[in-house]
Coordinates of all heavy atoms in Angstrom, one line a residue:
W593 N -60.9 20.8 -32.2 CA -61.3 22.0 -31.6 C -60.1 23.0 -31.5 O -60.1 24.2 -31.8 CB -62.0 21.8 -30.3 CG -62.7 23.0 -29.8 CD1 -63.0 24.2 -30.4 CD2 -63.3 23.1 -28.4 NE1 -63.7 25.1 -29.5 CE2 -63.9 24.4 -28.3 CE3 -63.4 22.3 -27.4 CZ2 -64.5 24.9 -27.2 CZ3 -64.0 22.7 -26.2 CH2 -64.5 24.0 -26.1
S594 N -59.0 22.4 -30.9 CA -57.8 23.2 -30.7 C -57.2 23.7 -32.0 O -56.9 24.9 -32.1 CB -56.8 22.4 -29.9 OG -57.2 22.1 -28.6
W596 N -58.9 24.2 -34.8 CA -59.7 25.2 -35.4 C -59.6 26.6 -34.7 O -59.5 27.6 -35.3 CB -61.2 24.8 -35.3 CG -62.1 26.0 -35.7 CD1 -62.3 26.5 -36.9 CD2 -62.9 26.8 -34.8 NE1 -63.2 27.5 -36.9 CE2 -63.5 27.8 -35.6 CE3 -63.1 26.8 -33.4 CZ2 -64.4 28.7 -35.1 CZ3 -64.0 27.7 -32.9 CH2 -64.6 28.7 -33.7
Q597 N -59.4 26.5 -33.3 CA -59.2 27.8 -32.6 C -57.9 28.4 -33.0 O -57.8 29.7 -33.1 CB -59.3 27.5 -31.1 CG -60.6 27.2 -30.6 CD -61.6 28.4 -30.4 OE1 -62.7 28.2 -30.1 NE2 -61.1 29.6 -30.6
L598 N -56.9 27.7 -33.2 CA -55.6 28.2 -33.8 C -55.8 28.8 -35.1 O -55.3 30.0 -35.4 CB -54.5 27.1 -33.9 CG -53.6 26.8 -32.7 CD1 -52.7 25.6 -32.9 CD2 -52.7 28.0 -32.5
W599 N -56.5 28.2 -36.0 CA -56.8 28.8 -37.3 C -57.6 30.1 -37.1 O -57.3 31.1 -37.8 CB -57.6 27.7 -38.1 CG -58.2 28.3 -39.4 CD1 -59.5 28.8 -39.6 CD2 -57.6 28.3 -40.7 NE1 -59.6 29.2 -40.9 CE2 -58.5 28.9 -41.6 CE3 -56.3 27.9 -41.1 CZ2 -58.1 29.1 -42.9 CZ3 -56.0 28.1 -42.4 CH2 -56.9 28.7 -43.3
Y600 N -58.6 30.1 -36.3 CA -59.4 31.2 -36.1 C -58.6 32.5 -35.5 O -58.9 33.6 -35.9 CB -60.6 30.9 -35.1 CG -61.6 32.0 -34.9 CD1 -62.5 32.4 -35.9 CD2 -61.6 32.7 -33.7 CE1 -63.4 33.4 -35.7 CE2 -62.5 33.7 -33.5 CZ -63.4 34.1 -34.5 OH -64.3 35.1 -34.3
A601 N -57.6 32.2 -34.6 CA -56.8 33.2 -34.1 C -55.8 33.7 -35.0 O -55.2 34.8 -34.8 CB -56.2 32.7 -32.8
S602 N -55.5 33.0 -36.1 CA -54.4 33.3 -36.9 C -54.8 34.3 -38.0 O -56.0 34.5 -38.2 CB -53.9 32.0 -37.6 OG -54.8 31.7 -38.7
L613 N -65.2 33.1 -40.6 CA -66.4 33.0 -39.9 C -66.6 34.4 -39.2 O -65.6 34.9 -38.7 CB -66.4 31.9 -38.9 CG -66.4 30.4 -39.3 CD1 -66.4 29.5 -38.2 CD2 -67.6 30.1 -40.2
N614 N -67.9 34.9 -39.2 CA -68.0 36.1 -38.5 C -68.2 35.7 -37.0 O -68.2 34.5 -36.6 CB -69.3 36.9 -39.0 CG -70.6 36.1 -38.8 OD1 -70.8 35.3 -37.9 ND2 -71.5 36.3 -39.8
D615 N -68.3 36.7 -36.1 CA -68.3 36.5 -34.7 C -69.4 35.6 -34.2 O -69.2 34.7 -33.4 CB -68.5 37.9 -33.9 CG -67.2 38.7 -34.0 OD1 -66.2 38.1 -34.4 OD2 -67.3 39.9 -33.7
T616 N -70.6 35.8 -34.8 CA -71.8 35.0 -34.4 C -71.6 33.5 -34.8 O -71.8 32.6 -34.0 CB -73.1 35.5 -35.0 OG1 -73.2 36.9 -34.6 CG2 -74.3 34.7 -34.5
E617 N -71.1 33.3 -36.0 CA -70.9 31.9 -36.5 C -69.8 31.2 -35.6 O -69.9 30.0 -35.3 CB -70.5 31.9 -38.0 CG -71.6 32.4 -38.9 CD -71.1 32.7 -40.3 OE1 -70.0 33.1 -40.5 OE2 -71.9 32.5 -41.2
A618 N -68.7 32.0 -35.3 CA -67.6 31.4 -34.5 C -68.1 31.0 -33.1 O -67.8 30.0 -32.6 CB -66.5 32.3 -34.5
R619 N -69.0 31.9 -32.6 CA -69.5 31.6 -31.2 C -70.4 30.4 -31.3 O -70.4 29.5 -30.3 CB -70.3 32.8 -30.7 CG -69.5 34.0 -30.4 CD -70.3 35.2 -30.0 NE -69.5 36.4 -30.0 CZ -70.0 37.6 -29.7 NH1 -71.2 37.8 -29.3 NH2 -69.2 38.7 -29.7
A620 N -71.2 30.2 -32.3 CA -72.0 29.0 -32.4 C -71.2 27.7 -32.5 O -71.5 26.7 -31.9 CB -73.0 29.2 -33.6
L621 N -70.2 27.7 -33.3 CA -69.3 26.5 -33.5 C -68.6 26.3 -32.1 O -68.5 25.1 -31.7 CB -68.3 26.7 -34.6 CG -67.4 25.6 -34.9 CD1 -68.2 24.3 -35.2 CD2 -66.5 25.9 -36.1
H622 N -68.2 27.3 -31.5 CA -67.5 27.2 -30.2 C -68.4 26.5 -29.1 O -68.0 25.5 -28.5 CB -67.0 28.5 -29.7 CG -66.3 28.5 -28.5 ND1 -64.9 28.3 -28.4 CD2 -66.6 28.8 -27.2 CE1 -64.5 28.4 -27.2 NE2 -65.5 28.7 -26.4
V623 N -69.6 27.0 -29.0 CA -70.5 26.4 -28.0 C -71.0 25.0 -28.4 O -71.2 24.2 -27.5 CB -71.7 27.4 -27.7 CG1 -72.8 27.2 -28.8 CG2 -72.3 27.1 -26.3
A624 N -71.1 24.7 -29.7 CA -71.5 23.4 -30.1 C -70.4 22.4 -29.8 O -70.8 21.3 -29.2 CB -71.7 23.4 -31.7
L625 N -69.2 22.7 -30.0 CA -68.1 21.8 -29.6 C -68.0 21.6 -28.1 O -67.8 20.5 -27.6 CB -66.8 22.3 -30.2 CG -66.7 22.2 -31.7 CD1 -65.4 23.0 -32.2 CD2 -66.6 20.8 -32.2
A626 N -68.2 22.7 -27.4 CA -68.1 22.6 -25.9 C -69.2 21.7 -25.4 O -69.0 20.9 -24.5 CB -68.2 24.0 -25.3
G661 N -76.5 24.0 -30.4 CA -75.5 25.0 -30.3 C -75.0 25.6 -31.6 O -74.8 26.8 -31.7
V747 N -77.0 33.8 -24.6 CA -76.0 32.7 -24.6 C -74.8 33.1 -25.5 O -73.6 32.9 -25.1 CB -76.6 31.4 -25.0 CG1 -75.5 30.3 -25.2 CG2 -77.6 30.9 -23.9
Y748 N -75.1 33.7 -26.7 CA -74.0 34.0 -27.6 C -73.6 35.4 -27.5 O -73.2 36.1 -28.4 CB -74.6 33.8 -29.0 CG -75.0 32.4 -29.3 CD1 -76.3 32.0 -29.1 CD2 -74.1 31.4 -29.8 CE1 -76.7 30.7 -29.4 CE2 -74.5 30.1 -30.0 CZ -75.8 29.7 -29.8 OH -76.2 28.4 -30.0
G749 N -73.5 35.9 -26.3 CA -73.2 37.3 -26.0 C -71.7 37.5 -25.8 O -70.8 36.7 -26.3
V750 N -71.4 38.6 -25.2 CA -70.0 39.1 -25.0 C -69.1 38.0 -24.3 O -68.0 37.8 -24.8 CB -69.9 40.4 -24.2 CG1 -68.5 40.8 -23.9 CG2 -70.6 41.5 -25.0
A751 N -69.6 37.4 -23.3 CA -68.8 36.4 -22.5 C -68.3 35.3 -23.4 O -67.1 34.9 -23.5 CB -69.5 35.9 -21.3
L752 N -69.2 34.7 -24.2 CA -68.9 33.7 -25.1 C -68.0 34.1 -26.2 O -67.0 33.4 -26.7 CB -70.1 33.0 -25.7 CG -69.9 31.7 -26.5 CD1 -69.4 30.6 -25.6 CD2 -71.2 31.3 -27.2
G753 N -68.2 35.4 -26.7 CA -67.3 35.9 -27.7 C -65.9 36.1 -27.2 O -64.9 35.8 -28.0
V754 N -65.7 36.4 -26.0 CA -64.3 36.5 -25.4 C -63.7 35.1 -25.3 O -62.5 34.9 -25.5 CB -64.4 37.2 -24.0 CG1 -63.0 37.2 -23.3 CG2 -64.8 38.7 -24.2
S755 N -64.6 34.2 -24.9 CA -64.1 32.8 -24.8 C -63.6 32.3 -26.2 O -62.5 31.6 -26.2 CB -65.2 31.9 -24.3 OG -64.8 30.5 -24.2
V756 N -64.3 32.6 -27.2 CA -63.9 32.2 -28.6 C -62.6 33.0 -29.0 O -61.6 32.3 -29.5 CB -65.0 32.5 -29.6 CG1 -64.5 32.1 -31.0 CG2 -66.2 31.8 -29.3
A757 N -62.6 34.2 -28.8 CA -61.5 35.1 -29.4 C -60.2 35.0 -28.6 O -59.1 35.1 -29.1 CB -62.0 36.5 -29.5
F758 N -60.3 35.0 -27.2 CA -59.1 35.1 -26.4 C -58.8 34.0 -25.5 O -57.7 33.4 -25.5 CB -59.2 36.4 -25.5 CG -59.5 37.6 -26.3 CD1 -60.4 38.6 -25.8 CD2 -58.8 37.9 -27.5 CE1 -60.7 39.8 -26.5 CE2 -59.0 39.1 -28.2 CZ -60.0 40.0 -27.7
I759 N -59.9 33.5 -24.7 CA -59.6 32.6 -23.6 C -59.0 31.3 -24.1 O -58.1 30.8 -23.6 CB -60.9 32.4 -22.8 CG1 -61.3 33.7 -22.2 CG2 -60.6 31.4 -21.7 CD1 -62.7 33.6 -21.4
F760 N -59.7 30.7 -25.2 CA -59.3 29.4 -25.6 C -57.8 29.4 -26.0 O -57.0 28.5 -25.6 CB -60.1 29.0 -26.9 CG -59.9 27.5 -27.2 CD1 -60.9 26.6 -26.9 CD2 -58.7 27.0 -27.8 CE1 -60.7 25.2 -27.2 CE2 -58.5 25.7 -28.0 CZ -59.5 24.8 -27.7
I761 N -57.3 30.4 -26.8 CA -56.0 30.3 -27.3 C -54.9 30.5 -26.2 O -53.9 29.9 -26.1 CB -55.7 31.5 -28.4 CG1 -54.4 31.3 -29.1 CG2 -55.9 32.8 -27.8 CD1 -54.3 30.1 -30.0
Y762 N -55.3 31.3 -25.1 CA -54.4 31.3 -23.9 C -54.4 30.1 -23.1 O -53.4 29.7 -22.5 CB -54.8 32.6 -23.1 CG -54.2 33.9 -23.7 CD1 -54.9 34.6 -24.7 CD2 -53.0 34.4 -23.2 CE1 -54.4 35.7 -25.2 CE2 -52.5 35.5 -23.8 CZ -53.2 36.2 -24.8 OH -52.7 37.3 -25.3
V763 N -55.6 29.5 -22.9 CA -55.6 28.2 -22.2 C -54.8 27.1 -23.0 O -54.1 26.3 -22.3 CB -57.1 27.7 -22.0 CG1 -57.1 26.3 -21.5 CG2 -57.8 28.7 -21.0
L764 N -55.0 27.1 -24.2 CA -54.2 26.2 -25.1 C -52.7 26.5 -24.9 O -51.9 25.5 -24.8 CB -54.6 26.3 -26.6 CG -53.9 25.5 -27.6 CD1 -54.0 24.0 -27.3 CD2 -54.3 25.8 -29.0
A856 N -59.1 33.3 -17.1 CA -60.1 33.7 -18.2 C -60.7 35.0 -18.0 O -61.0 35.7 -19.0 CB -61.1 32.6 -18.3
F859 N -59.5 38.5 -19.7 CA -59.8 38.8 -21.1 C -61.2 39.5 -21.2 O -61.4 40.2 -22.2 CB -59.7 37.6 -22.0 CG -58.3 37.0 -21.9 CD1 -58.1 35.8 -21.1 CD2 -57.3 37.5 -22.5 CE1 -56.8 35.3 -21.0 CE2 -56.0 37.0 -22.4 CZ -55.8 35.8 -21.7
L860 N -62.1 39.2 -20.3 CA -63.4 39.8 -20.4 C -63.3 41.3 -20.0 O -64.1 42.1 -20.5 CB -64.3 39.1 -19.4 CG -64.8 37.7 -19.7 CD1 -65.3 36.9 -18.5 CD2 -65.9 37.8 -20.8
E863 N -63.3 43.7 -22.9 CA -64.6 44.1 -23.5 C -65.3 45.0 -22.5 O -65.9 46.0 -22.9 CB -65.4 42.9 -23.8 CG -64.8 41.9 -24.8 CD -64.7 42.6 -26.2 OE1 -65.6 43.4 -26.5 OE2 -63.7 42.3 -26.9
P1014 N -54.6 40.6 -28.3 CA -54.3 39.4 -27.5 C -54.4 38.1 -28.2 O -53.5 37.2 -27.9 CB -55.4 39.5 -26.4 CG -55.8 41.0 -26.3 CD -55.7 41.5 -27.7
A1015 N -55.3 37.9 -29.1 CA -55.5 36.7 -29.8 C -54.3 36.5 -30.7 O -53.7 35.4 -30.8 CB -56.8 36.6 -30.6
L1016 N -53.9 37.5 -31.5 CA -52.8 37.3 -32.4 C -51.5 37.1 -31.7 O -50.7 36.3 -32.2 CB -52.8 38.5 -33.4 CG -51.8 38.4 -34.6 CD1 -52.2 37.2 -35.5 CD2 -51.9 39.7 -35.4
A1018 N -51.1 35.7 -28.8 CA -51.1 34.3 -28.3 C -50.9 33.3 -29.4 O -50.3 32.2 -29.2 CB -52.4 34.0 -27.5
M1066 N -60.8 23.6 -21.7 CA -61.7 24.7 -22.1 C -63.2 24.3 -22.1 O -64.1 25.2 -22.1 CB -61.4 25.1 -23.6 CG -60.5 26.3 -23.7 SD -61.0 27.7 -22.8 CE -62.6 28.1 -23.7
I1069 N -65.0 26.0 -19.2 CA -64.9 27.5 -19.3 C -65.9 27.9 -20.4 O -66.7 28.8 -20.3 CB -63.5 28.0 -19.7 CG1 -62.6 27.7 -18.5 CG2 -63.5 29.5 -20.0 CD1 -61.1 28.0 -18.8
G1070 N -65.9 27.1 -21.5 CA -66.9 27.4 -22.6 C -68.3 27.3 -22.2 O -69.2 28.2 -22.5
I1071 N -68.6 26.3 -21.4 CA -70.0 26.1 -20.9 C -70.3 27.2 -19.9 O -71.4 27.8 -19.9 CB -70.1 24.7 -20.2 CG1 -69.9 23.6 -21.2 CG2 -71.5 24.6 -19.5 CD1 -71.0 23.5 -22.3
T1073 N -69.1 30.3 -19.7 CA -69.4 31.6 -20.4 C -70.7 31.6 -21.1 O -71.4 32.6 -21.2 CB -68.2 31.9 -21.3 OG1 -68.0 30.8 -22.2 CG2 -66.9 32.2 -20.6
A1074 N -71.1 30.4 -21.7 CA -72.4 30.4 -22.3 C -73.5 30.5 -21.3 O -74.5 31.2 -21.6 CB -72.5 29.0 -23.1
T1125 N -64.8 32.9 -13.5 CA -65.2 33.6 -14.7 C -66.7 34.0 -14.6 O -67.0 35.1 -14.9 CB -65.0 32.7 -15.9 OG1 -63.6 32.3 -16.0 CG2 -65.3 33.4 -17.2

Side-chain angles (χ1 to χ4, degrees):
W593 191 11
S594 292
W596 172 71
Q597 289 284 172
L598 267 174
W599 171 267
Y600 183 72
S602 76
L613 294 178
N614 62 35
D615 288 344
T616 304
E617 293 170 328
R619 294 175 191 184
L621 182 55
H622 183 84
V623 80
L625 291 168
V747 170
Y748 300 92
V750 171
L752 189 65
V754 173
S755 181
V756 178
F758 304 138
I759 298 175
F760 192 107
I761 190 69
Y762 278 85
V763 170
L764 177 61
F859 301 103
L860 290 159
E863 299 296 324
L1016 191 57
M1066 267 303 299
I1069 297 174
I1071 297 297
T1073 51
T1125 304

